[in-house]
Amino acid sequence: MNSELSPIIESLIFTAEAALSTDRICELLPEHERDEIKSALAELLDYYQGRAGGFELVEVAGGWQFRTRALFHSYITRHIKTRIAKFSQSALETLAIVAYRQPITRVEVEHLRGVDCGGVLKSLLEKHLVRILGKKDIPGRPLIYGTSKEFLEIFGLKDLKSLPTLREIQALDEQPQYERQEELQLEPGTSVPVENQLPLE
Amino acid sequence: MNSELSPIIESLIFTAEAALSTDRICELLPEHERDEIKSALAELLDYYQGRAGGFELVEVAGGWQFRTRALFHSYITRHIKTRIAKFSQSALETLAIVAYRQPITRVEVEHLRGVDCGGVLKSLLEKHLVRILGKKDIPGRPLIYGTSKEFLEIFGLKDLKSLPTLREIQALDEQPQYERQEELQLEPGTSVPVENQLPLE
Amino acid sequence: MSLEAKHHHDENLPLLDGFHEQYSVHLDKFDGPMDLLLHLIKKNELDICDISIAVITRQYLDFIKLMKELNLEVAGDFLVMAATLLQIKSRQLLPLDDQEEQLEEDADPRAELVRRLLEYQQYKDAGMVIGARALLGREVFERTAVEPLLAAAQSAEGPLEVSLFELVDAFRLLLQRIPAESFHDVAPGDSLSIADCINEILSLLQERETVQFDDLVQDDYGSEHTRERVIVTFLALLELCRLKLIRIFQGNDHGSIWFVPAVAAEPLEV
């Protein structure tokens, strides 16, 4: 670690209860310039990516956090209880609809899914994955829903823009895996638009 | 990190609630020899000592634990004190009563909750979530409470009318109403045999 | 298959197991009428954009019939879709007027259904893609330990965090808890056994997750229960601790005392 700042930032992220935003780090370290802090963060990120240890530095929900690498979950669950059981298909569908179409009302979710979603929405609210954003300015003033910060944290997303686009997801359906890989390997410079339809990391 | 074992052990120590003893690590990794585990631990210890990052691996109370380096404590205490506090159930209940029933006196809140609310109300006042609206024109002239502007800000509400009604939350639980049932009447004469098993008129 | 592809990029292969299990089709467990329709279309190797309504309708209705024969409850949503299918089918069968013909060609009666199916499929796939991510608390973990030094520095001050839903729900639960009218039985000999008291506390913990000591020893109006009742409550709490059924917390020095179940509730099933 070259910079003197990196270990300080590391200790702050390490002790934070939740992901620590760049803004917050700047607030905590007023004696350093924002640019300095940003480059120290980049240095740390690089370092952890290259290291391949038991945990890594990730940017989630607009903040920085140390998290174990998914690779080791079978060891970790030997002594830690998993907090999240499998999501049901209907929970995931509803969550996807809220995530991609927010702000959205219950009626709109139900129209898309073709089934009643009251129970699922309530359970997602209780799990803090979905939150009430307010009321829609139409007759009846129905509640409108959106995803929460916890949603980003749990699903390991930096922000909502990090969600794969629906087009990217559709592309996964359309083309068999091997074809796509071939195209990518053979013709990196071709004009085939498939390249930017690949799933995001 | 050379050994394959070191990252695994690292992830275990990282996620442990308290210092993890060598014995416990051996229990968790029965597929590895004790000697192997000990040398991986020595490797990790070496690595963190040489690294001089924001935290280090230490052996305390007969176990292994990651701890921030003492050097950085003045930075760490800058943000540990200002952690986000979660609402207690009693604070939440009291706040909800004040929000939905304002203007309200302390006696009225206590009647609803069935417990003394002096402490909770005081703490809500200190947090500027609740404010004193005035005195009620009844014998004893008790203080009357209401929610503050900060309350609206924290909950992202435009005004008090934007609070979801209790019925709206309860409605999530209810069975759907088949508003779209009129569609069903469109097909009285079809010859599909299953149709008369549909419970429709 | 959407997720197959995604998984090959991932290093966390164990995820695949969960995925197949979730995706495999159970006859009695479709996620809704749209899900069932997609299944039938796939099974018949039909193109969503050019489905044979006759085939799909027949199979859809057979399926509902089967569910009924198995005494499975058929949700109203499935019946709504049955009606929609029948309606489309009958519109296709209607002899067309010459004048109407031109118009009908533009408006395929299936168009609206096809549009909804395509849209639904997008979100169904999206749900599976996000569900296949390495989730915090499932495959990925954050650090749980708090250093002693830091724990001491922790304070209850600072900004508060809570969601609007929690606020409303707290009020809703509170109203449920309050009886419309509470009468007090003052008859002597109204004694309470420790066992009754244990059950009472456990059921309180089940519905509220945390219970404050004050809640246990005060009645609905904030006045203390009888001396006997307080003693029995205390003995019950000691017994619950001994049985390792509850854990005790104190918010801060001289703060309220809280009880929580020692064993966390069932893992979160959304």
Side-chain angles (χ1 to χ4, degrees):
Chain A
M1 213 149 318
N2 296 325
S3 136
E4 277 173 45
L5 189 53
S6 296
I8 295 171
I9 294 176
E10 199 183 69
S11 72
L12 289 175
I13 297 172
F14 183 79
T15 48
E17 215 169 70
L20 207 58
S21 71
T22 308
D23 283 352
R24 182 81 183 113
I25 297 172
C26 291
E27 263 174 51
L28 291 169
L29 301 171
E31 62 271 58
H32 292 279
E33 294 298 321
R34 192 184 177 89
D35 281 350
E36 238 186 306
I37 288 169
K38 281 183 114 171
S39 85
L41 276 166
E43 192 184 302
L44 277 172
L45 195 61
D46 240 36
Y47 169 78
Y48 278 97
Q49 270 169 3
R51 178 172 168 261
F55 52 90
E56 58 193 345
L57 183 62
V58 289
E59 196 175 5
V60 279
W64 302 88
Q65 191 172 42
F66 286 110
R67 290 187 173 189
T68 57
R69 287 169 63 211
L71 197 60
F72 300 125
H73 85 275
S74 62
Y75 296 103
I76 295 162
T77 48
R78 290 178 190 181
H79 76 135
I80 291 275
K81 259 216 229 154
T82 48
R83 272 186 290 118
I84 294 176
K86 209 161 57 185
F87 279 86
S88 69
Q89 190 192 323
S90 66
L92 284 172
E93 266 175 34
T94 308
L95 199 52
I97 291 171
V98 174
Y100 283 96
R101 297 286 288 260
Q102 57 192 313
I104 191 168
T105 65
R106 171 178 167 184
V107 169
E108 288 161 350
V109 175
E110 290 180 344
H111 180 70
L112 283 167
R113 291 197 56 223
V115 285
D116 170 67
C117 297
V120 186
L121 269 176
K122 183 157 182 270
S123 145
L124 291 172
L125 278 164
E126 276 165 1
K127 267 86 198 184
H128 307 295
L129 292 164
V130 157
R131 67 200 173 99
I132 296 167
L133 299 177
K135 294 191 178 190
K136 195 162 179 175
D137 229 357
I138 55 168
R141 305 209 64 211
L143 296 175
I144 47 180
Y145 300 93
T147 50
S148 63
K149 203 171 149 229
E150 281 93 332
F151 166 75
L152 296 176
E153 280 169 6
I154 288 178
F155 286 82
L157 295 162
K158 196 169 122 187
D159 48 35
L160 282 173
K161 276 177 288 180
S162 314
L163 274 171
T165 67
L166 291 175
R167 244 181 88 203
E168 285 160 354
I169 288 166
Q170 212 165 10
L172 289 175
D173 242 0
E174 279 160 8
Q175 277 177 294
Q177 160 77 4
Y178 59 90
E179 274 179 31
R180 217 174 39 240
Q181 260 186 354
E182 249 168 342
E183 280 178 41
L184 285 176
Q185 285 162 358
L186 293 174
E187 303 296 332
T190 344
S191 57
V192 182
V194 75
E195 212 181 346
N196 36 21
Q197 298 187 356
L198 284 177
L200 302 178
E201 290 316 309
Chain B
M1 212 146 325
N2 296 325
S3 133
E4 274 174 47
L5 191 51
S6 297
I8 295 171
I9 294 176
E10 198 182 71
S11 74
L12 289 174
I13 298 172
F14 180 82
T15 50
E17 240 165 61
L20 209 58
S21 70
T22 309
D23 284 352
R24 181 81 182 115
I25 296 173
C26 291
E27 263 173 50
L28 290 170
L29 301 172
E31 64 270 58
H32 292 280
E33 294 298 323
R34 192 183 179 88
D35 281 350
E36 240 185 305
I37 288 170
K38 282 183 114 172
S39 84
L41 278 166
E43 191 184 305
L44 276 173
L45 194 61
D46 239 35
Y47 169 79
Y48 277 98
Q49 272 169 1
R51 178 171 169 264
F55 52 88
E56 59 194 346
L57 184 62
V58 288
E59 199 174 3
V60 278
W64 300 88
Q65 193 170 43
F66 286 111
R67 292 197 169 183
T68 53
R69 287 169 62 209
L71 197 59
F72 301 126
H73 85 276
S74 63
Y75 294 104
I76 293 160
T77 47
R78 288 181 193 179
H79 77 129
I80 288 299
K81 273 184 203 147
T82 58
R83 265 188 194 161
I84 287 174
K86 290 268 177 192
F87 272 83
S88 69
Q89 181 72 20
S90 64
L92 205 55
E93 271 178 23
T94 309
L95 192 56
I97 291 171
V98 174
Y100 281 97
R101 294 284 173 91
Q102 60 190 308
I104 190 168
T105 66
R106 172 176 164 185
V107 170
E108 288 161 348
V109 175
E110 290 178 346
H111 179 73
L112 280 167
R113 287 200 58 226
V115 286
D116 172 70
C117 298
V120 186
L121 269 175
K122 187 165 170 259
S123 135
L124 290 172
L125 278 166
E126 279 166 4
K127 272 145 190 154
H128 305 293
L129 292 164
V130 158
R131 68 201 170 98
I132 294 164
L133 300 177
K135 291 192 176 190
K136 196 163 180 178
D137 221 1
I138 56 168
R141 309 223 348 136
L143 294 175
I144 46 178
Y145 298 92
T147 51
S148 64
K149 203 175 142 233
E150 280 91 337
F151 166 80
L152 294 177
E153 281 167 5
I154 285 184
F155 289 93
L157 294 164
K158 204 168 98 192
D159 48 37
L160 283 173
K161 273 177 292 179
S162 310
L163 267 173
T165 64
L166 298 174
R167 255 176 79 199
E168 282 163 345
I169 293 295
Q170 216 148 17
L172 290 172
D173 271 341
E174 280 160 14
Q175 284 301 304
Q177 300 296 312
Y178 301 116
E179 319 96 282
R180 289 165 291 176
Q181 228 170 28
E182 74 269 18
E183 284 181 41
L184 294 174
Q185 292 159 356
L186 292 171
E187 297 306 318
T190 333
S191 57
V192 181
V194 76
E195 208 199 0
N196 42 23
Q197 298 189 353
L198 303 179
L200 324 159
E201 299 317 317
Chain C
M1 276 258 325
S2 59
L3 276 219
E4 295 276 1
K6 161 110 183 140
H7 275 301
H8 285 290
H9 289 299
D10 281 354
E11 52 179 3
N12 36 334
L13 281 171
L15 273 179
L16 268 176
D17 302 336
F19 168 62
H20 281 309
E21 202 184 315
Q22 192 178 350
Y23 192 71
S24 70
V25 174
H26 303 284
L27 259 186
D28 57 342
K29 210 188 164 204
F30 279 101
D31 204 40
M34 305 287 275
D35 204 22
L36 173 55
L37 273 185
L38 279 185
H39 167 72
L40 295 176
I41 289 166
K42 205 174 150 196
K43 202 183 79 184
N44 291 285
E45 294 179 351
L46 296 174
D47 177 0
I48 291 189
C49 299
D50 190 23
I51 41 180
S52 158
I53 288 291
V55 171
I56 291 300
T57 304
R58 183 174 40 75
Q59 292 186 4
Y60 185 93
L61 294 175
D62 283 350
F63 185 85
I64 289 183
K65 194 176 157 195
L66 175 70
M67 293 218 287
K68 283 174 169 292
E69 276 166 7
L70 294 171
N71 275 325
L72 295 169
E73 201 185 318
V74 178
D77 301 306
F78 281 89
L79 305 179
V80 173
M81 179 59 77
T84 306
L85 287 170
L86 289 170
Q87 186 194 355
I88 295 171
K89 192 179 149 192
S90 71
R91 273 178 61 192
Q92 281 186 321
L93 294 174
L94 279 178
L96 299 170
D97 287 342
D98 284 339
Q99 329 140 294
E100 249 184 84
E101 195 153 6
Q102 196 56 44
L103 222 121
E104 284 291 328
E105 259 179 25
D106 292 337
D108 185 335
R110 300 172 300 177
E112 166 66 11
L113 182 64
V114 166
R115 195 192 56 73
R116 280 185 67 194
L117 277 171
L118 286 171
E119 195 165 19
Y120 170 73
Q121 177 154 52
Q122 277 195 323
Y123 293 113
K124 182 179 149 90
D125 290 347
M128 286 193 290
V129 168
I130 61 171
R133 295 183 69 89
L135 301 193
L136 183 68
R138 195 178 70 179
E139 284 91 19
V140 165
F141 298 85
E142 55 201 340
R143 203 173 74 97
T144 41
V146 177
E147 289 173 76
L149 165 80
L150 303 177
Q154 209 176 341
S155 125
E157 295 305 314
L160 295 161
E161 188 178 58
V162 73
S163 80
L164 188 54
F165 172 74
E166 284 173 277
L167 179 76
V168 185
D169 214 40
F171 193 52
R172 190 176 65 92
L173 294 175
L174 178 78
L175 290 186
Q176 282 173 358
R177 212 172 72 204
I178 300 169
E181 198 111 24
S182 38
F183 294 98
H184 285 266
D185 192 356
V186 286
D190 173 27
S191 67
L192 182 78
S193 75
I194 294 180
D196 287 345
C197 197
I198 285 177
N199 286 332
E200 214 170 89
I201 295 169
L202 284 177
S203 64
L204 258 182
L205 279 170
Q206 239 169 19
E207 57 187 72
R208 288 163 61 193
E209 287 184 353
T210 61
V211 172
Q212 222 174 327
F213 185 67
D214 293 351
D215 297 356
L216 293 174
V217 295
Q218 291 176 345
D219 68 17
D220 291 345
Y221 295 99
S223 55
E224 305 247 310
H225 281 295
T226 60
R227 194 182 151 77
E228 184 200 9
R229 168 85 189 218
V230 173
I231 292 169
V232 170
T233 304
F234 191 65
L235 291 174
L237 287 169
L238 287 181
E239 182 67 8
L240 283 167
C241 286
R242 195 184 65 78
L243 295 169
K244 296 197 168 65
L245 287 171
I246 59 170
R247 291 169 72 190
I248 304 181
F249 287 99
Q250 188 165 26
N252 45 53
D253 290 355
H254 313 296
S256 319
I257 295 173
W258 297 84
F259 304 99
V260 300
V263 183
E266 287 306 301
L268 215 135
E269 176 88 49
V270 184

